[in-house]
Tab-separated table of all heavy atoms in Angstrom:
chain	number	residue	atom	x	y	z
W	352	GLY	N	-76.684	-116.749	-2.267
W	352	GLY	CA	-77.623	-116.238	-1.282
W	352	GLY	C	-78.438	-115.057	-1.766
W	352	GLY	O	-79.422	-114.680	-1.127
W	353	THR	N	-78.057	-114.463	-2.893
W	353	THR	CA	-78.786	-113.318	-3.431
W	353	THR	C	-79.847	-113.784	-4.426
W	353	THR	O	-79.805	-114.900	-4.934
W	353	THR	CB	-77.836	-112.334	-4.127
W	353	THR	OG1	-77.254	-112.978	-5.280
W	353	THR	CG2	-76.723	-111.894	-3.194
W	354	ASP	N	-80.791	-112.878	-4.725
W	354	ASP	CA	-81.825	-113.217	-5.705
W	354	ASP	C	-81.226	-113.463	-7.090
W	354	ASP	O	-81.689	-114.335	-7.828
W	354	ASP	CB	-82.859	-112.088	-5.782
W	354	ASP	CG	-83.718	-111.995	-4.527
W	354	ASP	OD1	-83.793	-112.995	-3.786
W	354	ASP	OD2	-84.288	-110.911	-4.277
W	355	GLY	N	-80.192	-112.677	-7.433
W	355	GLY	CA	-79.543	-112.863	-8.727
W	355	GLY	C	-78.913	-114.232	-8.858
W	355	GLY	O	-78.932	-114.838	-9.940
W	356	TRP	N	-78.349	-114.735	-7.763
W	356	TRP	CA	-77.741	-116.067	-7.749
W	356	TRP	C	-78.798	-117.148	-7.986
W	356	TRP	O	-78.598	-118.083	-8.764
W	356	TRP	CB	-77.036	-116.276	-6.417
W	356	TRP	CG	-76.288	-117.556	-6.270
W	356	TRP	CD1	-76.699	-118.667	-5.598
W	356	TRP	CD2	-74.987	-117.860	-6.782
W	356	TRP	NE1	-75.737	-119.643	-5.659
W	356	TRP	CE2	-74.667	-119.176	-6.372
W	356	TRP	CE3	-74.060	-117.145	-7.537
W	356	TRP	CZ2	-73.474	-119.792	-6.701
W	356	TRP	CZ3	-72.862	-117.763	-7.860
W	356	TRP	CH2	-72.579	-119.065	-7.450
W	357	LYS	N	-79.927	-116.996	-7.331
W	357	LYS	CA	-81.011	-117.963	-7.510
W	357	LYS	C	-81.519	-117.944	-8.949
W	357	LYS	O	-81.805	-118.982	-9.534
W	357	LYS	CB	-82.149	-117.644	-6.539
W	357	LYS	CG	-81.771	-117.793	-5.075
W	357	LYS	CD	-82.903	-117.340	-4.174
W	357	LYS	CE	-82.499	-117.406	-2.703
W	357	LYS	NZ	-83.572	-116.909	-1.812
W	358	GLU	N	-81.635	-116.748	-9.509
W	358	GLU	CA	-82.107	-116.611	-10.871
W	358	GLU	C	-81.157	-117.288	-11.860
W	358	GLU	O	-81.587	-117.956	-12.811
W	358	GLU	CB	-82.255	-115.134	-11.229
W	358	GLU	CG	-82.738	-114.857	-12.643
W	358	GLU	CD	-84.157	-115.336	-12.903
W	358	GLU	OE1	-84.944	-115.389	-11.924
W	358	GLU	OE2	-84.449	-115.681	-14.047
W	359	LEU	N	-79.852	-117.136	-11.631
W	359	LEU	CA	-78.864	-117.757	-12.507
W	359	LEU	C	-79.023	-119.271	-12.549
W	359	LEU	O	-78.867	-119.896	-13.604
W	359	LEU	CB	-77.447	-117.414	-12.038
W	359	LEU	CG	-76.835	-116.105	-12.529
W	359	LEU	CD1	-75.477	-115.897	-11.864
W	359	LEU	CD2	-76.684	-116.118	-14.043
W	360	HIS	N	-79.335	-119.870	-11.410
W	360	HIS	CA	-79.419	-121.319	-11.341
W	360	HIS	C	-80.582	-121.879	-12.158
W	360	HIS	O	-80.582	-123.065	-12.496
W	360	HIS	CB	-79.517	-121.777	-9.878
W	360	HIS	CG	-78.178	-121.878	-9.212
W	360	HIS	ND1	-77.466	-120.770	-8.819
W	360	HIS	CD2	-77.412	-122.951	-8.913
W	360	HIS	CE1	-76.329	-121.161	-8.285
W	360	HIS	NE2	-76.266	-122.473	-8.338
W	361	TYR	N	-81.562	-121.053	-12.474
W	361	TYR	CA	-82.653	-121.517	-13.320
W	361	TYR	C	-82.156	-121.810	-14.740
W	361	TYR	O	-82.797	-122.536	-15.494
W	361	TYR	CB	-83.769	-120.473	-13.382
W	361	TYR	CG	-84.470	-120.242	-12.062
W	361	TYR	CD1	-84.898	-118.970	-11.691
W	361	TYR	CD2	-84.701	-121.290	-11.172
W	361	TYR	CE1	-85.540	-118.754	-10.471
W	361	TYR	CE2	-85.331	-121.084	-9.957
W	361	TYR	CZ	-85.753	-119.807	-9.613
W	361	TYR	OH	-86.378	-119.603	-8.421
W	362	HIS	N	-81.008	-121.248	-15.104
W	362	HIS	CA	-80.462	-121.410	-16.448
W	362	HIS	C	-79.379	-122.494	-16.512
W	362	HIS	O	-78.717	-122.640	-17.524
W	362	HIS	CB	-79.900	-120.084	-16.949
W	362	HIS	CG	-80.907	-118.970	-16.948
W	362	HIS	ND1	-81.953	-118.922	-17.829
W	362	HIS	CD2	-81.033	-117.880	-16.150
W	362	HIS	CE1	-82.688	-117.853	-17.594
W	362	HIS	NE2	-82.154	-117.194	-16.583
W	363	GLY	N	-79.192	-123.217	-15.413
W	363	GLY	CA	-78.236	-124.311	-15.403
W	363	GLY	C	-76.883	-123.925	-14.842
W	363	GLY	O	-76.504	-122.745	-14.823
W	364	LEU	N	-76.146	-124.935	-14.384
W	364	LEU	CA	-74.872	-124.709	-13.720
W	364	LEU	C	-73.835	-124.088	-14.643
W	364	LEU	O	-73.037	-123.243	-14.230
W	364	LEU	CB	-74.345	-126.034	-13.159
W	364	LEU	CG	-73.143	-125.963	-12.211
W	364	LEU	CD1	-73.425	-125.028	-11.052
W	364	LEU	CD2	-72.809	-127.358	-11.701
W	365	LEU	N	-73.833	-124.480	-15.915
W	365	LEU	CA	-72.859	-123.921	-16.853
W	365	LEU	C	-73.047	-122.416	-17.006
W	365	LEU	O	-72.073	-121.666	-17.153
W	365	LEU	CB	-72.970	-124.605	-18.216
W	365	LEU	CG	-72.508	-126.067	-18.278
W	365	LEU	CD1	-72.706	-126.618	-19.685
W	365	LEU	CD2	-71.051	-126.194	-17.866
W	366	GLY	N	-74.298	-121.976	-16.944
W	366	GLY	CA	-74.572	-120.548	-17.019
W	366	GLY	C	-74.045	-119.806	-15.811
W	366	GLY	O	-73.577	-118.664	-15.924
W	367	VAL	N	-74.088	-120.447	-14.656
W	367	VAL	CA	-73.570	-119.827	-13.439
W	367	VAL	C	-72.048	-119.712	-13.529
W	367	VAL	O	-71.465	-118.692	-13.171
W	367	VAL	CB	-73.968	-120.637	-12.191
W	367	VAL	CG1	-73.554	-119.902	-10.923
W	367	VAL	CG2	-75.467	-120.894	-12.169
W	368	TYR	N	-71.409	-120.782	-13.996
W	368	TYR	CA	-69.957	-120.737	-14.178
W	368	TYR	C	-69.561	-119.588	-15.111
W	368	TYR	O	-68.599	-118.862	-14.854
W	368	TYR	CB	-69.447	-122.056	-14.763
W	368	TYR	CG	-69.353	-123.201	-13.787
W	368	TYR	CD1	-69.705	-124.501	-14.170
W	368	TYR	CD2	-68.891	-123.008	-12.488
W	368	TYR	CE1	-69.611	-125.556	-13.286
W	368	TYR	CE2	-68.802	-124.064	-11.594
W	368	TYR	CZ	-69.164	-125.340	-11.996
W	368	TYR	OH	-69.069	-126.380	-11.115
W	369	GLU	N	-70.319	-119.450	-16.189
W	369	GLU	CA	-70.010	-118.405	-17.162
W	369	GLU	C	-70.157	-117.018	-16.544
W	369	GLU	O	-69.340	-116.119	-16.792
W	369	GLU	CB	-70.933	-118.544	-18.374
W	369	GLU	CG	-70.572	-117.654	-19.549
W	369	GLU	CD	-69.229	-118.000	-20.165
W	369	GLU	OE1	-68.817	-119.180	-20.085
W	369	GLU	OE2	-68.586	-117.077	-20.718
W	370	ALA	N	-71.181	-116.842	-15.727
W	370	ALA	CA	-71.422	-115.552	-15.090
W	370	ALA	C	-70.331	-115.204	-14.077
W	370	ALA	O	-70.130	-114.026	-13.752
W	370	ALA	CB	-72.779	-115.557	-14.404
W	371	CYS	N	-69.624	-116.222	-13.582
W	371	CYS	CA	-68.576	-115.996	-12.583
W	371	CYS	C	-67.199	-115.782	-13.211
W	371	CYS	O	-66.210	-115.662	-12.487
W	371	CYS	CB	-68.528	-117.162	-11.603
W	371	CYS	SG	-69.974	-117.242	-10.513
W	372	LYS	N	-67.128	-115.756	-14.537
W	372	LYS	CA	-65.866	-115.444	-15.196
W	372	LYS	C	-65.630	-113.931	-15.177
W	372	LYS	O	-66.548	-113.158	-15.424
W	372	LYS	CB	-65.876	-115.945	-16.640
W	372	LYS	CG	-65.789	-117.451	-16.781
W	372	LYS	CD	-65.718	-117.854	-18.253
W	372	LYS	CE	-65.593	-119.357	-18.408
W	372	LYS	NZ	-65.538	-119.764	-19.848
W	373	ILE	N	-64.407	-113.540	-14.893
W	373	ILE	CA	-64.069	-112.117	-14.875
W	373	ILE	C	-63.619	-111.706	-16.275
W	373	ILE	O	-62.732	-112.340	-16.841
W	373	ILE	CB	-62.942	-111.832	-13.867
W	373	ILE	CG1	-63.321	-112.358	-12.483
W	373	ILE	CG2	-62.645	-110.334	-13.804
W	373	ILE	CD1	-62.198	-112.241	-11.460
W	374	PRO	N	-64.207	-110.673	-16.853
W	374	PRO	CA	-63.796	-110.224	-18.191
W	374	PRO	C	-62.300	-109.928	-18.240
W	374	PRO	O	-61.726	-109.396	-17.279
W	374	PRO	CB	-64.624	-108.950	-18.398
W	374	PRO	CG	-65.823	-109.143	-17.516
W	374	PRO	CD	-65.326	-109.876	-16.315
W	375	GLN	N	-61.663	-110.270	-19.352
W	375	GLN	CA	-60.219	-110.126	-19.477
W	375	GLN	C	-59.747	-108.689	-19.299
W	375	GLN	O	-58.696	-108.451	-18.694
W	375	GLN	CB	-59.764	-110.648	-20.847
W	375	GLN	CG	-59.676	-112.159	-20.930
W	375	GLN	CD	-58.672	-112.742	-19.948
W	375	GLN	OE1	-57.526	-112.290	-19.864
W	375	GLN	NE2	-59.100	-113.721	-19.193
W	376	ASP	N	-60.510	-107.725	-19.791
W	376	ASP	CA	-60.069	-106.339	-19.650
W	376	ASP	C	-60.060	-105.903	-18.198
W	376	ASP	O	-59.193	-105.126	-17.766
W	376	ASP	CB	-60.945	-105.407	-20.494
W	376	ASP	CG	-62.416	-105.483	-20.129
W	376	ASP	OD1	-62.856	-106.542	-19.638
W	376	ASP	OD2	-63.129	-104.477	-20.330
W	377	ILE	N	-60.994	-106.419	-17.423
W	377	ILE	CA	-61.016	-106.105	-15.990
W	377	ILE	C	-59.867	-106.804	-15.271
W	377	ILE	O	-59.181	-106.214	-14.435
W	377	ILE	CB	-62.368	-106.501	-15.367
W	377	ILE	CG1	-63.482	-105.635	-15.952
W	377	ILE	CG2	-62.325	-106.379	-13.848
W	377	ILE	CD1	-64.857	-105.969	-15.432
W	378	LEU	N	-59.657	-108.084	-15.594
W	378	LEU	CA	-58.560	-108.828	-14.967
W	378	LEU	C	-57.226	-108.113	-15.146
W	378	LEU	O	-56.443	-107.975	-14.201
W	378	LEU	CB	-58.466	-110.236	-15.566
W	378	LEU	CG	-59.255	-111.355	-14.892
W	378	LEU	CD1	-59.132	-112.630	-15.702
W	378	LEU	CD2	-58.793	-111.569	-13.461
W	379	LYS	N	-56.967	-107.676	-16.351
W	379	LYS	CA	-55.682	-107.033	-16.645
W	379	LYS	C	-55.523	-105.704	-15.921
W	379	LYS	O	-54.397	-105.253	-15.677
W	379	LYS	CB	-55.539	-106.838	-18.156
W	379	LYS	CG	-55.425	-108.147	-18.931
W	379	LYS	CD	-55.239	-107.899	-20.412
W	379	LYS	CE	-55.191	-109.211	-21.194
W	379	LYS	NZ	-54.117	-110.098	-20.728
W	380	SER	N	-56.636	-105.064	-15.577
W	380	SER	CA	-56.568	-103.767	-14.912
W	380	SER	C	-56.387	-103.870	-13.397
W	380	SER	O	-56.065	-102.889	-12.737
W	380	SER	CB	-57.842	-102.957	-15.213
W	380	SER	OG	-58.968	-103.512	-14.545
W	381	LEU	N	-56.584	-105.070	-12.852
W	381	LEU	CA	-56.495	-105.255	-11.398
W	381	LEU	C	-55.048	-105.355	-10.931
W	381	LEU	O	-54.179	-105.855	-11.648
W	381	LEU	CB	-57.236	-106.531	-10.986
W	381	LEU	CG	-58.749	-106.597	-11.246
W	381	LEU	CD1	-59.281	-107.974	-10.862
W	381	LEU	CD2	-59.483	-105.509	-10.485
W	382	SER	N	-54.801	-104.894	-9.713
W	382	SER	CA	-53.501	-105.115	-9.095
W	382	SER	C	-53.331	-106.602	-8.833
W	382	SER	O	-54.313	-107.359	-8.804
W	382	SER	CB	-53.413	-104.350	-7.772
W	382	SER	OG	-54.348	-104.869	-6.832
W	383	THR	N	-52.093	-107.043	-8.632
W	383	THR	CA	-51.862	-108.466	-8.354
W	383	THR	C	-52.563	-108.887	-7.071
W	383	THR	O	-53.121	-109.984	-6.986
W	383	THR	CB	-50.349	-108.750	-8.243
W	383	THR	OG1	-49.716	-108.351	-9.463
W	383	THR	CG2	-50.090	-110.229	-8.011
W	384	GLU	N	-52.560	-108.002	-6.068
W	384	GLU	CA	-53.255	-108.308	-4.818
W	384	GLU	C	-54.746	-108.542	-5.069
W	384	GLU	O	-55.361	-109.451	-4.485
W	384	GLU	CB	-53.076	-107.171	-3.807
W	384	GLU	CG	-51.675	-107.032	-3.240
W	384	GLU	CD	-50.781	-106.154	-4.114
W	384	GLU	OE1	-51.178	-105.851	-5.271
W	384	GLU	OE2	-49.697	-105.785	-3.640
W	385	ALA	N	-55.328	-107.719	-5.955
W	385	ALA	CA	-56.753	-107.855	-6.249
W	385	ALA	C	-57.052	-109.114	-7.053
W	385	ALA	O	-58.100	-109.742	-6.869
W	385	ALA	CB	-57.241	-106.625	-7.009
W	386	VAL	N	-56.142	-109.504	-7.946
W	386	VAL	CA	-56.331	-110.738	-8.706
W	386	VAL	C	-56.314	-111.938	-7.758
W	386	VAL	O	-57.136	-112.852	-7.873
W	386	VAL	CB	-55.235	-110.901	-9.781
W	386	VAL	CG1	-55.353	-112.256	-10.465
W	386	VAL	CG2	-55.342	-109.788	-10.816
W	387	ILE	N	-55.382	-111.928	-6.826
W	387	ILE	CA	-55.299	-113.009	-5.836
W	387	ILE	C	-56.570	-113.057	-4.994
W	387	ILE	O	-57.125	-114.126	-4.736
W	387	ILE	CB	-54.058	-112.836	-4.945
W	387	ILE	CG1	-52.783	-113.072	-5.767
W	387	ILE	CG2	-54.104	-113.787	-3.742
W	387	ILE	CD1	-51.508	-112.721	-5.029
W	388	GLN	N	-57.048	-111.882	-4.587
W	388	GLN	CA	-58.273	-111.837	-3.790
W	388	GLN	C	-59.462	-112.353	-4.598
W	388	GLN	O	-60.321	-113.074	-4.083
W	388	GLN	CB	-58.556	-110.406	-3.329
W	388	GLN	CG	-59.674	-110.315	-2.298
W	388	GLN	CD	-59.333	-111.048	-1.011
W	388	GLN	OE1	-58.271	-110.832	-0.426
W	388	GLN	NE2	-60.218	-111.924	-0.564
W	389	ALA	N	-59.503	-112.009	-5.882
W	389	ALA	CA	-60.585	-112.490	-6.745
W	389	ALA	C	-60.558	-114.009	-6.862
W	389	ALA	O	-61.608	-114.658	-6.967
W	389	ALA	CB	-60.473	-111.850	-8.129
W	390	PHE	N	-59.368	-114.576	-6.852
W	390	PHE	CA	-59.236	-116.035	-6.894
W	390	PHE	C	-59.928	-116.663	-5.687
W	390	PHE	O	-60.693	-117.612	-5.806
W	390	PHE	CB	-57.768	-116.441	-6.930
W	390	PHE	CG	-57.551	-117.926	-6.856
W	390	PHE	CD1	-57.651	-118.712	-7.994
W	390	PHE	CD2	-57.260	-118.542	-5.650
W	390	PHE	CE1	-57.479	-120.092	-7.929
W	390	PHE	CE2	-57.086	-119.917	-5.577
W	390	PHE	CZ	-57.192	-120.693	-6.719
W	391	PHE	N	-59.656	-116.118	-4.496
W	391	PHE	CA	-60.226	-116.680	-3.278
W	391	PHE	C	-61.700	-116.317	-3.091
W	391	PHE	O	-62.429	-117.027	-2.404
W	391	PHE	CB	-59.413	-116.243	-2.059
W	391	PHE	CG	-58.065	-116.882	-1.979
W	391	PHE	CD1	-56.922	-116.150	-2.243
W	391	PHE	CD2	-57.930	-118.221	-1.664
W	391	PHE	CE1	-55.667	-116.746	-2.193
W	391	PHE	CE2	-56.686	-118.822	-1.610
W	391	PHE	CZ	-55.550	-118.076	-1.877
W	392	ASP	N	-62.139	-115.227	-3.697
W	392	ASP	CA	-63.547	-114.828	-3.603
W	392	ASP	C	-64.429	-115.559	-4.607
W	392	ASP	O	-65.653	-115.415	-4.573
W	392	ASP	CB	-63.686	-113.320	-3.846
W	392	ASP	CG	-63.188	-112.486	-2.678
W	392	ASP	OD1	-62.915	-113.060	-1.604
W	392	ASP	OD2	-63.065	-111.251	-2.837
W	393	TYR	N	-63.833	-116.313	-5.509
W	393	TYR	CA	-64.574	-117.030	-6.542
W	393	TYR	C	-65.708	-117.834	-5.901
W	393	TYR	O	-65.473	-118.637	-4.979
W	393	TYR	CB	-63.614	-117.966	-7.280
W	393	TYR	CG	-64.226	-118.790	-8.375
W	393	TYR	CD1	-64.878	-118.199	-9.451
W	393	TYR	CD2	-64.128	-120.179	-8.342
W	393	TYR	CE1	-65.421	-118.964	-10.475
W	393	TYR	CE2	-64.662	-120.958	-9.360
W	393	TYR	CZ	-65.308	-120.345	-10.419
W	393	TYR	OH	-65.848	-121.110	-11.428
W	394	PRO	N	-66.956	-117.636	-6.306
W	394	PRO	CA	-68.090	-118.299	-5.653
W	394	PRO	C	-68.041	-119.817	-5.620
W	394	PRO	O	-68.671	-120.435	-4.767
W	394	PRO	CB	-69.297	-117.798	-6.468
W	394	PRO	CG	-68.881	-116.459	-6.957
W	394	PRO	CD	-67.412	-116.627	-7.293
W	395	PHE	N	-67.283	-120.433	-6.537
W	395	PHE	CA	-67.178	-121.891	-6.561
W	395	PHE	C	-65.828	-122.373	-6.034
W	395	PHE	O	-65.391	-123.469	-6.374
W	395	PHE	CB	-67.397	-122.411	-7.985
W	395	PHE	CG	-68.795	-122.233	-8.489
W	395	PHE	CD1	-69.116	-121.175	-9.314
W	395	PHE	CD2	-69.793	-123.115	-8.125
W	395	PHE	CE1	-70.404	-121.004	-9.792
W	395	PHE	CE2	-71.097	-122.961	-8.588
W	395	PHE	CZ	-71.397	-121.898	-9.424
W	396	ILE	N	-65.183	-121.568	-5.207
W	396	ILE	CA	-63.847	-121.914	-4.720
W	396	ILE	C	-63.832	-123.272	-4.013
W	396	ILE	O	-62.864	-124.011	-4.078
W	396	ILE	CB	-63.297	-120.810	-3.775
W	396	ILE	CG1	-61.849	-121.073	-3.364
W	396	ILE	CG2	-64.172	-120.648	-2.546
W	396	ILE	CD1	-60.843	-120.832	-4.463
W	397	SER	N	-64.917	-123.630	-3.355
W	397	SER	CA	-64.933	-124.878	-2.583
W	397	SER	C	-65.375	-126.098	-3.372
W	397	SER	O	-65.721	-127.123	-2.788
W	397	SER	CB	-65.817	-124.717	-1.344
W	397	SER	OG	-65.162	-123.936	-0.383
W	398	ASP	N	-65.349	-126.012	-4.694
W	398	ASP	CA	-65.595	-127.196	-5.509
W	398	ASP	C	-64.687	-128.362	-5.113
W	398	ASP	O	-65.044	-129.529	-5.280
W	398	ASP	CB	-65.344	-126.886	-6.997
W	398	ASP	CG	-66.602	-126.389	-7.696
W	398	ASP	OD1	-67.593	-126.102	-7.005
W	398	ASP	OD2	-66.572	-126.283	-8.938
W	399	TYR	N	-63.506	-128.035	-4.593
W	399	TYR	CA	-62.525	-129.094	-4.318
W	399	TYR	C	-63.002	-130.082	-3.257
W	399	TYR	O	-62.476	-131.190	-3.152
W	399	TYR	CB	-61.174	-128.487	-3.910
W	399	TYR	CG	-61.193	-127.650	-2.656
W	399	TYR	CD1	-61.042	-128.214	-1.403
W	399	TYR	CD2	-61.334	-126.264	-2.735
W	399	TYR	CE1	-61.034	-127.443	-0.265
W	399	TYR	CE2	-61.325	-125.473	-1.607
W	399	TYR	CZ	-61.185	-126.069	-0.369
W	399	TYR	OH	-61.192	-125.292	0.761
Side-chain angles (χ1 to χ4, degrees):
T353 65
D354 290 340
W356 184 259
K357 296 175 183 177
E358 180 66 28
L359 274 175
H360 276 74
Y361 294 143
H362 303 289
L364 191 55
L365 290 179
V367 186
Y368 283 141
E369 189 65 28
C371 291
K372 288 184 178 179
I373 305 174
Q375 282 299 311
D376 58 333
I377 294 179
L378 269 175
K379 293 182 183 302
S380 71
L381 297 176
S382 65
T383 302
E384 290 87 348
V386 174
I387 291 171
Q388 190 63 51
F390 175 82
F391 289 107
D392 287 350
Y393 180 58
F395 292 99
I396 186 73
S397 286
D398 270 10
Y399 61 86

